Amino acid sequence: MDVKGILLAGVFAASMLAASRAEAQFYKPLRCDSCATSDQFRGRAISAGQGHHLVYSLTNNRIEYWHVTSGGSGPGGPPGTPMNVEGATAAVASSTALERIPPVEAVNELNKAHTLHAIGGDLRPMFNVPVHMLGLPASHRTKTAYEFVKDYNMRSMVSSAVGDAGVISQVTSSNLIGALQDLKSLVTSYLGLRDQAGLIFKVVFTDGSYVQFTVDIDSPLGTYIEDSARTAAGQAIPSSIDDVRGTWTNGGGDNLGPMADHFGRLGATMTFVGAAGGAITSIVCSGVGAEKVCRVTRVIY
Protein backbone atom coordinates (compact mmCIF):
# COMPACT_ATOMS: atom_id res chain seq x y z
CA MET A 1 0.00 0.00 0.00
CA ASP A 2 1.39 3.41 -0.98
CA VAL A 3 1.60 6.41 1.35
CA LYS A 4 -1.66 7.81 0.03
CA GLY A 5 -3.40 4.50 0.70
CA ILE A 6 -2.02 4.36 4.23
CA LEU A 7 -3.22 7.89 4.93
CA LEU A 8 -6.67 7.12 3.57
CA ALA A 9 -6.86 3.96 5.67
CA GLY A 10 -5.93 5.98 8.73
CA VAL A 11 -8.58 8.59 7.99
CA PHE A 12 -11.18 5.84 7.47
CA ALA A 13 -10.26 4.13 10.75
CA ALA A 14 -10.45 7.43 12.61
CA SER A 15 -13.83 8.25 11.09
CA MET A 16 -15.16 4.80 12.02
CA LEU A 17 -13.93 5.23 15.59
CA ALA A 18 -15.54 8.67 15.82
CA ALA A 19 -18.80 7.25 14.49
CA SER A 20 -18.68 4.41 17.02
CA ARG A 21 -18.14 6.81 19.90
CA ALA A 22 -20.92 9.08 18.67
CA GLU A 23 -23.28 6.08 18.60
CA ALA A 24 -22.28 5.14 22.15
CA GLN A 25 -23.10 8.66 23.35
CA PHE A 26 -26.58 8.26 21.86
CA TYR A 27 -27.48 5.89 24.73
CA LYS A 28 -27.84 6.64 28.43
CA PRO A 29 -26.38 3.88 30.61
CA LEU A 30 -28.28 3.23 33.85
CA ARG A 31 -26.93 0.83 36.44
CA CYS A 32 -29.56 -1.06 38.42
CA ASP A 33 -28.11 -4.00 40.32
CA SER A 34 -31.41 -4.45 42.16
CA CYS A 35 -33.29 -4.96 38.89
CA ALA A 36 -34.26 -8.59 38.31
CA THR A 37 -37.39 -8.45 36.12
CA SER A 38 -38.23 -6.62 32.91
CA ASP A 39 -40.78 -4.53 34.82
CA GLN A 40 -37.99 -3.29 37.07
CA PHE A 41 -35.63 -2.58 34.16
CA ARG A 42 -38.42 -0.74 32.37
CA GLY A 43 -39.35 1.21 35.50
CA ARG A 44 -35.73 2.28 35.96
CA ALA A 45 -35.67 3.59 32.39
CA ILE A 46 -38.97 5.45 32.81
CA SER A 47 -37.74 7.10 36.01
CA ALA A 48 -34.84 8.60 34.04
CA GLY A 49 -37.13 10.32 31.54
CA GLN A 50 -37.26 10.34 27.77
CA GLY A 51 -34.39 8.88 25.80
CA HIS A 52 -32.63 5.69 24.84
CA HIS A 53 -31.63 3.84 28.01
CA LEU A 54 -29.33 0.88 28.45
CA VAL A 55 -30.38 -0.42 31.84
CA TYR A 56 -27.99 -2.99 33.23
CA SER A 57 -27.27 -5.03 36.32
CA LEU A 58 -23.55 -5.56 36.72
CA THR A 59 -23.95 -8.21 39.41
CA ASN A 60 -26.57 -10.18 37.45
CA ASN A 61 -24.92 -9.61 34.04
CA ARG A 62 -28.19 -8.55 32.45
CA ILE A 63 -28.93 -5.61 30.17
CA GLU A 64 -32.13 -4.28 28.57
CA TYR A 65 -32.58 -1.42 26.09
CA TRP A 66 -35.65 0.73 26.67
CA HIS A 67 -36.65 3.69 24.52
CA VAL A 68 -38.82 6.03 26.59
CA THR A 69 -40.77 8.28 24.24
CA SER A 70 -43.10 10.10 26.65
CA GLY A 71 -43.78 10.59 30.35
CA GLY A 72 -41.02 9.45 32.64
CA SER A 73 -41.71 11.42 35.82
CA GLY A 74 -43.94 9.19 37.89
CA PRO A 75 -43.99 8.02 41.52
CA GLY A 76 -40.31 7.09 41.22
CA GLY A 77 -39.22 10.68 41.77
CA PRO A 78 -36.91 12.87 39.68
CA PRO A 79 -34.90 11.48 36.74
CA GLY A 80 -32.31 8.99 37.89
CA THR A 81 -34.23 7.86 40.98
CA PRO A 82 -34.32 4.03 41.36
CA MET A 83 -37.86 2.68 41.45
CA ASN A 84 -39.44 -0.35 43.04
CA VAL A 85 -41.83 -2.57 41.12
CA GLU A 86 -44.92 -0.78 42.44
CA GLY A 87 -43.57 2.63 41.42
CA ALA A 88 -42.59 1.33 38.01
CA THR A 89 -46.03 -0.14 37.42
CA ALA A 90 -47.76 3.13 38.28
CA ALA A 91 -45.40 5.20 36.14
CA VAL A 92 -45.83 2.92 33.14
CA ALA A 93 -49.49 3.90 32.95
CA SER A 94 -48.57 7.44 31.88
CA SER A 95 -45.41 6.63 29.91
CA THR A 96 -44.50 4.96 26.65
CA ALA A 97 -41.46 2.69 26.78
CA LEU A 98 -40.45 0.44 23.91
CA GLU A 99 -38.04 -2.46 24.43
CA ARG A 100 -35.37 -2.87 21.80
CA ILE A 101 -32.34 -5.08 21.26
CA PRO A 102 -29.27 -3.65 23.04
CA PRO A 103 -26.14 -3.04 20.95
CA VAL A 104 -23.82 -6.02 20.76
CA GLU A 105 -20.95 -3.81 21.95
CA ALA A 106 -22.84 -2.92 25.13
CA VAL A 107 -23.63 -6.58 25.84
CA ASN A 108 -19.98 -7.45 25.31
CA GLU A 109 -18.81 -4.66 27.62
CA LEU A 110 -21.16 -5.83 30.36
CA ASN A 111 -19.97 -9.43 30.00
CA LYS A 112 -16.35 -8.39 30.40
CA ALA A 113 -17.10 -6.05 33.29
CA HIS A 114 -19.13 -8.74 35.05
CA THR A 115 -16.21 -11.14 34.79
CA LEU A 116 -13.85 -8.59 36.33
CA HIS A 117 -16.38 -7.76 39.06
CA ALA A 118 -16.87 -11.45 39.86
CA ILE A 119 -13.13 -12.05 40.21
CA GLY A 120 -12.15 -8.87 42.05
CA GLY A 121 -15.39 -8.08 43.88
CA ASP A 122 -15.41 -4.64 42.29
CA LEU A 123 -14.53 -2.84 39.06
CA ARG A 124 -11.73 -1.14 41.02
CA PRO A 125 -10.58 -3.79 43.50
CA MET A 126 -8.34 -2.62 46.33
CA PHE A 127 -5.26 -4.51 47.49
CA ASN A 128 -3.18 -4.01 50.63
CA VAL A 129 0.49 -3.70 49.73
CA PRO A 130 2.97 -3.81 52.65
CA VAL A 131 5.76 -1.33 51.99
CA HIS A 132 8.41 -4.08 52.14
CA MET A 133 7.00 -5.54 48.88
CA LEU A 134 7.89 -2.42 46.91
CA GLY A 135 11.65 -2.92 46.90
CA LEU A 136 12.35 0.60 48.15
CA PRO A 137 15.81 1.55 49.45
CA ALA A 138 16.42 0.63 53.09
CA SER A 139 16.35 4.32 54.03
CA HIS A 140 12.69 4.54 52.95
CA ARG A 141 11.30 1.24 54.19
CA THR A 142 10.82 2.53 57.74
CA LYS A 143 9.31 5.88 56.73
CA THR A 144 5.61 6.50 57.24
CA ALA A 145 2.73 8.38 55.66
CA TYR A 146 3.78 11.43 57.70
CA GLU A 147 7.03 11.62 55.72
CA PHE A 148 5.34 10.58 52.48
CA VAL A 149 3.01 13.60 52.28
CA LYS A 150 5.96 16.03 52.44
CA ASP A 151 8.63 14.06 50.55
CA TYR A 152 8.31 14.47 46.78
CA ASN A 153 11.10 11.99 46.04
CA MET A 154 9.46 9.35 48.24
CA ARG A 155 6.18 9.87 46.40
CA SER A 156 7.97 9.36 43.09
CA MET A 157 9.67 6.17 44.24
CA VAL A 158 6.44 4.66 45.54
CA SER A 159 4.68 5.68 42.32
CA SER A 160 7.27 3.79 40.27
CA ALA A 161 7.18 0.78 42.58
CA VAL A 162 3.41 0.25 42.56
CA GLY A 163 3.37 0.40 38.75
CA ASP A 164 6.02 -2.29 38.45
CA ALA A 165 4.75 -5.40 36.67
CA GLY A 166 6.45 -7.65 39.23
CA VAL A 167 4.68 -5.97 42.13
CA ILE A 168 1.34 -6.08 40.32
CA SER A 169 1.72 -9.81 39.64
CA GLN A 170 2.56 -10.48 43.31
CA VAL A 171 -0.40 -8.56 44.63
CA THR A 172 -3.09 -9.58 42.15
CA SER A 173 -3.83 -12.72 40.14
CA SER A 174 -3.39 -13.60 36.48
CA ASN A 175 -7.14 -14.15 36.16
CA LEU A 176 -7.92 -10.67 37.45
CA ILE A 177 -5.30 -8.99 35.28
CA GLY A 178 -6.55 -10.89 32.25
CA ALA A 179 -10.14 -9.79 32.92
CA LEU A 180 -9.01 -6.18 33.41
CA GLN A 181 -6.99 -6.20 30.19
CA ASP A 182 -9.93 -7.72 28.34
CA LEU A 183 -12.26 -4.93 29.47
CA LYS A 184 -9.70 -2.18 28.88
CA SER A 185 -9.07 -3.43 25.33
CA LEU A 186 -12.53 -2.31 24.19
CA VAL A 187 -12.29 0.53 21.69
CA THR A 188 -15.64 2.07 22.62
CA SER A 189 -17.46 2.10 25.94
CA TYR A 190 -21.27 2.16 25.79
CA LEU A 191 -21.80 1.73 29.54
CA GLY A 192 -18.80 3.61 30.91
CA LEU A 193 -17.60 0.44 32.64
CA ARG A 194 -14.33 0.27 30.72
CA ASP A 195 -13.25 3.66 32.05
CA GLN A 196 -14.31 2.85 35.62
CA ALA A 197 -12.14 -0.26 35.80
CA GLY A 198 -8.73 -0.25 37.44
CA LEU A 199 -6.71 -1.20 40.50
CA ILE A 200 -6.24 0.57 43.81
CA PHE A 201 -3.16 -0.23 45.88
CA LYS A 202 -3.23 0.65 49.57
CA VAL A 203 0.44 1.00 50.52
CA VAL A 204 0.77 0.19 54.23
CA PHE A 205 3.81 1.50 56.13
CA THR A 206 5.48 -0.10 59.14
CA ASP A 207 3.46 1.95 61.66
CA GLY A 208 0.18 1.00 60.00
CA SER A 209 -0.31 4.37 58.30
CA TYR A 210 -1.10 4.16 54.61
CA VAL A 211 -1.62 5.93 51.30
CA GLN A 212 -3.57 4.90 48.20
CA PHE A 213 -2.61 4.76 44.53
CA THR A 214 -4.59 4.04 41.38
CA VAL A 215 -2.70 1.63 39.16
CA ASP A 216 -3.14 1.41 35.40
CA ILE A 217 -1.80 -1.80 33.88
CA ASP A 218 -0.80 0.17 30.77
CA SER A 219 1.30 2.68 32.72
CA PRO A 220 4.62 2.13 34.53
CA LEU A 221 3.62 4.66 37.20
CA GLY A 222 0.88 4.61 39.81
CA THR A 223 -1.08 7.78 40.56
CA TYR A 224 -1.29 8.97 44.15
CA ILE A 225 -4.85 9.61 45.29
CA GLU A 226 -4.58 13.07 46.78
CA ASP A 227 -5.46 13.39 50.47
CA SER A 228 -5.57 9.59 50.91
CA ALA A 229 -2.85 9.52 53.61
CA ARG A 230 -4.28 8.02 56.80
CA THR A 231 -3.19 6.80 60.20
CA ALA A 232 -3.59 3.13 61.09
CA ALA A 233 -7.02 3.97 62.54
CA GLY A 234 -8.06 5.89 59.44
CA GLN A 235 -7.57 9.49 60.58
CA ALA A 236 -6.45 12.01 57.97
CA ILE A 237 -2.79 13.03 57.72
CA PRO A 238 -2.79 16.53 56.15
CA SER A 239 -0.07 17.57 53.75
CA SER A 240 -0.74 21.31 54.09
CA ILE A 241 -1.18 23.67 57.04
CA ASP A 242 -4.46 24.77 55.45
CA ASP A 243 -5.90 21.30 56.12
CA VAL A 244 -4.82 21.21 59.77
CA ARG A 245 -8.25 21.75 61.27
CA GLY A 246 -10.61 19.57 63.23
CA THR A 247 -10.20 17.04 66.02
CA TRP A 248 -7.94 13.99 66.16
CA THR A 249 -8.28 11.46 69.01
CA ASN A 250 -6.62 8.28 70.21
CA GLY A 251 -9.99 6.53 70.45
CA GLY A 252 -9.11 4.23 67.55
CA GLY A 253 -5.77 3.30 69.04
CA ASP A 254 -3.60 5.83 67.20
CA ASN A 255 -0.44 7.15 68.83
CA LEU A 256 -0.93 10.89 68.35
CA GLY A 257 2.66 11.85 69.14
CA PRO A 258 3.74 11.66 65.47
CA MET A 259 0.64 13.64 64.48
CA ALA A 260 1.48 16.45 66.92
CA ASP A 261 5.06 16.54 65.59
CA HIS A 262 3.74 16.61 62.03
CA PHE A 263 1.43 19.55 62.72
CA GLY A 264 4.30 21.43 64.31
CA ARG A 265 6.50 20.87 61.25
CA LEU A 266 3.71 22.14 59.02
CA GLY A 267 3.71 25.41 60.97
CA ALA A 268 0.89 25.11 63.49
CA THR A 269 1.33 26.64 66.95
CA MET A 270 1.13 23.75 69.42
CA THR A 271 -0.23 24.31 72.93
CA PHE A 272 -0.06 21.46 75.44
CA VAL A 273 -2.33 20.89 78.43
CA GLY A 274 -2.16 18.11 80.99
CA ALA A 275 0.69 16.03 82.39
CA ALA A 276 3.94 16.42 80.47
CA GLY A 277 4.63 12.70 80.41
CA GLY A 278 1.10 11.65 79.56
CA ALA A 279 -0.32 10.09 76.43
CA ILE A 280 -1.91 12.43 73.92
CA THR A 281 -5.65 11.81 73.89
CA SER A 282 -6.72 14.55 71.51
CA ILE A 283 -5.49 17.31 69.21
CA VAL A 284 -7.93 20.10 68.36
CA CYS A 285 -6.86 22.55 65.66
CA SER A 286 -8.45 25.79 64.51
CA GLY A 287 -7.56 29.12 62.94
CA VAL A 288 -6.15 29.99 59.53
CA GLY A 289 -2.70 30.53 58.08
CA ALA A 290 -0.09 31.72 60.57
CA GLU A 291 -2.82 31.81 63.23
CA LYS A 292 -3.30 28.03 63.14
CA VAL A 293 -3.34 26.75 66.72
CA CYS A 294 -3.57 23.14 67.92
CA ARG A 295 -4.51 22.30 71.51
CA VAL A 296 -2.90 19.02 72.56
CA THR A 297 -4.39 17.23 75.58
CA ARG A 298 -2.22 14.77 77.51
CA VAL A 299 -3.35 12.35 80.18
CA ILE A 300 -1.51 9.93 82.48
CA TYR A 301 -3.54 6.75 82.85
Side-chain angles (χ1 to χ4, degrees), residues 69-83:
T69 58
S70 65
S73 57
T81 303
M83 299 177 63

Side-chain angles (χ1 to χ4, degrees), residues 67-261:
H67 177 199
V68 180
T69 58
S70 65
S73 57
T81 303
M83 299 177 63
N84 56 29
V85 176
E86 292 75 15
T89 303
V92 166
S94 61
S95 303
T96 301
L98 306 174
E99 184 175 12
R100 298 183 175 182
I101 298 174
V104 173
E105 296 88 347
V107 175
N108 186 40
E109 181 180 2
L110 180 60
N111 283 334
K112 293 177 184 297
H114 174 74
T115 298
L116 173 62
H117 189 276
I119 295 173
D122 197 278
L123 285 179
R124 294 167 63 85
M126 178 183 291
F127 298 89
N128 287 342
V129 184
V131 69
H132 68 78
M133 293 184 62
L134 299 181
L136 299 176
S139 59
H140 285 74
R141 292 173 195 164
T142 57
K143 290 190 175 184
T144 68
Y146 295 101
E147 287 89 2
F148 175 92
V149 296
K150 298 302 292 181
D151 188 331
Y152 180 79
N153 186 45
M154 183 179 177
R155 285 198 191 195
S156 299
M157 288 192 292
V158 175
S159 172
S160 297
V162 296
D164 181 77
V167 171
I168 294 175
S169 65
Q170 287 184 68
V171 174
T172 64
S173 68
S174 57
N175 287 342
L176 186 142
I177 293 302
L180 179 57
Q181 290 174 327
D182 205 22
L183 178 57
K184 286 291 191 180
S185 68
L186 295 176
V187 175
T188 306
S189 175
Y190 278 69
L191 305 178
L193 300 176
R194 179 200 64 187
D195 300 327
Q196 294 176 38
L199 303 172
I200 297 180
F201 282 5
K202 178 180 174 181
V203 179
V204 184
F205 298 103
T206 54
D207 68 338
S209 62
Y210 60 87
V211 296
Q212 295 180 6
F213 278 79
T214 56
V215 177
D216 186 338
I217 55 177
D218 295 324
S219 172
L221 301 175
T223 301
Y224 172 58
I225 300 177
E226 292 295 332
D227 300 323
S228 68
R230 297 289 186 272
T231 64
Q235 298 187 90
I237 300 178
S239 60
S240 166
I241 187 64
D242 293 333
D243 296 325
V244 178
R245 59 180 182 274
T247 300
W248 286 257
T249 73
N250 67 345
D254 280 333
N255 173 10
L256 294 182
M259 187 71 78
D261 294 339

